[in-house]
Amino acid sequence: MSSQSSQSPHAPSLTEVETHGIERIPDADRTARPLDLFRIAFGGANTFSTCVLGAFPILFGLSFWQGLAATLLGVVAGALILCPMAVFGPVNGTNNAVSSSAHLGVHGRVVGSFLSLLTATAFFSISVWSSGDALIGGAHRLFGLPRSTASYAVAYAVFAALVLVVCIYGFRFMLFVNKIAVTSASVLFLLGAIAFAGDFDPGYAGVFTASADAATRSMFWPSFIGAALIVLSNPVSFGAFLGDWSRYIPAGTPRRRVVGAAFLAQIATLLPFLFGLATASIIATKAPQYVDPDAPDFVGGLLAISPSWFFLPVCLLALIGGMSTGTTSLYGTGLDFASVVPWLSRVRATVLVGVVAFAFIFIGRFALNLVQSISTFATMIVTCTTPWMVVMMLGFYTRRGWYDPDALQVFNRRQRGGRYWFTHGWNWRGMTAWWVSALIGVLFTNIPGQFVGPLGDLAGGVDISLPLSLVVAAVLYLALLRLFPEPLAVYGPEGPRLARAVDVPVPPVTGPGAPGADPVAVPAAEAG
């Protein structure tokens, strides 16, 4: 936060539990800056768990340079897809799931809540698992702590509890944690570059060499695309959360600065991604047993190749990274889940989601193939979340960025009606574009050796789920807006863009606290 914001009479203290839910943040309390958005988004990904994702190109058999290309493709493409999602927070003063009411309907906004729950569970689990493993591994090398199931369970529980405490206190405490994490984790990663510089060989060839058999070579593109999609899942995973943090930015802030902060935050994650890629290539050369496709162990391999003086930095990186990623994943989901389940407060919802995610950690760690679980889950997140983001961004464009923040809160107030009621609270245009494109994406998914959709082999084994779902979502949504016009009342004074609108009355808002009113009449003309 800026010094100006910290001196604001409206800013609560760091240790004061946040009272705001997903209602519109009052203008007086919106004291954050785009730099704060950068810190939280980058801090949430500048962690050990991102290193684990960065190791996947090597685990998929790529060479270092092939892995670098897949990583750059995934990060840049993901950042470009993600960054426009940052504008909804400043415009509406609420999170992105609530903002989606304008395009999916008052009830359809639960899609965003579901996606954020799915994403939070996955990435909270990754952060706690990877950080806990690194901490126990480092403690074993430094102090002889046994690597027992009990030790791992305690480490996971401590991490989860620390993350929950930060999330319960809320946005300002989380921002404080991420301010520390951005700087300290970056320093530790740079220190790691020094630690492994002597062992790093950019010539690591992977398995797709000229001498490889035909069956192996045929798996190159599926492996390359699969690795890029796993990398891309990291920036896309922030799509449902950006509004949780950007809602504290004043509405008058230039949108290009907000979008730029979100984009640069993801580009900056190349630091942990490349650390994971480089160290994984060293592990594959010096300790190949840790990159066995049937039982890969990046954390164990990293500790095996680390010089002894780097064990303590690894533990610190695990602690800082686990806190940072865990809080950014869990905070927004607890916030949003509280609005979906009326009897849950923000604090109770946060604890409940944390417990569910904690159970997922144990199931994935001790009962399933963890790497397969992560890669499959990450790909499903991309497949289901990206079409939702396309609908949101195209909706923003067709509405010319105009919204009615009060009408967005109808669901949260347990009311009915308003501009975004559409058909019984559902805007079937946006909903159809989302579920059809997400389903097509799942059908065409092809993760080598893990999950292949019923149509996944139609492209020669290459995973085309993402580009296909992107195109289908965009074309279908725009076509539906043209063929089945939305009410003119959902558009601003300048009318629609790339869409048509029709003159229909807006149903009055009814329910708790709603004033009695007749339907709102809009100009009796169809706009094109």
Side-chain angles (χ1 to χ4, degrees):
M1 301 287 288
S2 65
S3 59
Q4 181 182 2
S5 65
S6 63
Q7 295 169 359
S8 168
H10 303 286
S13 66
L14 184 68
T15 55
E16 180 180 339
V17 176
E18 182 182 7
T19 57
H20 290 305
I22 41 76
E23 73 277 4
R24 185 178 184 275
I25 302 297
D27 292 340
D29 292 342
R30 296 170 68 174
T31 55
R33 299 176 299 166
L35 178 60
D36 296 319
L37 176 62
F38 173 88
R39 285 169 172 163
I40 290 182
F42 177 41
N46 190 33
T47 62
F48 204 79
S49 57
T50 305
C51 297
V52 174
L53 295 178
F56 269 83
I58 300 299
L59 297 180
F60 278 19
L62 301 180
S63 70
F64 172 78
W65 292 111
Q66 292 163 351
L68 178 61
T71 300
L72 291 173
L73 175 62
V75 169
V76 174
L80 290 172
I81 294 171
L82 170 73
C83 62
M85 295 296 293
V87 301
F88 291 96
V91 169
N92 296 322
T94 187
N95 70 357
N96 284 354
V98 173
S99 292
S100 72
S101 300
H103 308 295
L104 300 179
V106 167
H107 292 153
R109 54 134 306 178
V110 298
V111 170
S113 302
F114 165 75
L115 293 173
S116 66
L117 177 62
L118 183 72
T119 304
T121 301
F123 283 84
F124 175 74
S125 302
I126 293 172
S127 67
V128 173
W129 158 69
S130 59
S131 297
D133 278 14
L135 189 62
I136 293 300
H140 173 75
R141 297 290 296 270
L142 286 171
F143 311 113
L145 181 72
R147 288 177 166 176
S148 63
T149 299
S151 297
Y152 285 113
V154 170
Y156 298 156
V158 169
F159 267 109
L162 290 173
V163 170
L164 277 173
V165 168
V166 175
C167 292
I168 287 171
Y169 276 109
F171 174 78
R172 298 182 190 283
F173 202 167
M174 185 174 67
L175 181 58
F176 172 74
V177 169
N178 278 275
K179 281 183 178 179
I180 297 174
V182 165
T183 302
S184 55
S186 298
V187 170
L188 291 171
F189 280 129
L190 294 175
L191 191 63
I194 297 174
F196 298 110
D199 294 323
F200 174 60
D201 178 12
Y204 172 72
V207 302
F208 303 107
T209 61
S211 60
D213 57 50
T216 299
R217 291 198 301 272
S218 69
M219 291 299 295
F220 170 74
W221 283 113
S223 299
F224 180 88
I225 299 298
L229 285 176
I230 288 176
V231 172
L232 184 143
S233 71
N234 197 61
V236 168
S237 71
F238 286 89
F241 299 131
L242 279 186
D244 301 330
W245 317 318
S246 64
R247 67 196 180 118
Y248 279 94
I249 297 175
T253 304
R255 291 173 184 174
R256 66 180 183 279
R257 293 183 57 201
V258 178
V259 171
F263 178 79
L264 292 176
Q266 298 306 315
I267 296 301
T269 63
L270 285 170
L271 176 62
F273 268 118
L274 295 184
F275 180 87
L277 178 68
T279 52
S281 67
I282 298 173
I283 294 170
T285 301
K286 297 186 64 176
Q289 68 272 21
Y290 290 101
V291 293
D292 181 352
D294 295 326
D297 182 7
F298 171 76
V299 175
L302 181 66
L303 291 168
I305 66 170
S306 294
S308 57
W309 64 265
F310 194 62
F311 292 158
L312 182 58
V314 166
C315 293
L316 292 175
L317 192 58
L319 178 63
I320 295 168
M323 289 287 291
S324 186
T325 299
T327 54
T328 52
S329 297
L330 193 59
Y331 166 77
T333 301
L335 178 75
D336 191 62
F337 200 61
S339 71
V340 176
V341 183
W343 51 269
L344 286 176
S345 65
R346 183 188 69 83
V347 172
R348 289 176 179 175
T350 299
V351 173
L352 178 61
V353 174
V355 170
V356 171
F358 189 62
F360 182 78
I361 294 169
F362 274 78
I363 294 172
R365 177 64 172 81
F366 298 114
L368 302 175
N369 183 314
L370 191 60
V371 171
Q372 287 192 7
S373 300
I374 289 173
S375 58
T376 302
F377 213 25
T379 303
M380 291 300 101
I381 288 171
V382 172
T383 303
C384 295
T385 302
T386 305
W388 177 79
M389 293 165 64
V390 170
V391 170
M392 289 280 287
M393 289 183 282
L394 285 177
F396 185 93
Y397 185 77
T398 59
R399 304 279 177 87
R400 302 180 188 271
W402 186 91
Y403 293 89
D404 182 347
D406 189 66
L408 292 172
Q409 298 291 335
V410 165
F411 179 92
N412 308 323
R413 297 169 181 164
R414 312 305 164 195
Q415 298 171 334
R416 299 166 62 88
R419 296 179 191 270
Y420 305 127
W421 186 248
F422 299 105
T423 304
H424 304 293
W426 302 88
N427 186 351
W428 62 269
R429 305 161 189 82
M431 289 292 298
T432 301
W434 170 71
W435 75 259
V436 169
S437 52
L439 177 61
I440 289 175
V442 172
L443 293 176
F444 278 88
T445 296
N446 190 316
I447 309 174
Q450 296 173 41
F451 176 80
V452 179
L455 305 178
D457 290 324
L458 291 185
V462 176
D463 192 327
I464 61 172
S465 59
L466 179 64
L468 193 59
S469 62
L470 279 170
V471 172
V472 170
V475 173
L476 182 56
Y477 184 50
L478 291 177
L480 291 173
L481 292 181
R482 294 292 299 181
L483 295 173
F484 304 96
E486 293 178 323
L488 187 58
V490 304
Y491 296 96
E494 298 183 34
R497 178 166 47 193
L498 295 182
R500 295 190 304 138
V502 65
D503 172 19
V504 293
V506 175
V509 176
T510 60
D518 295 326
V520 179
V522 294
E526 183 176 332

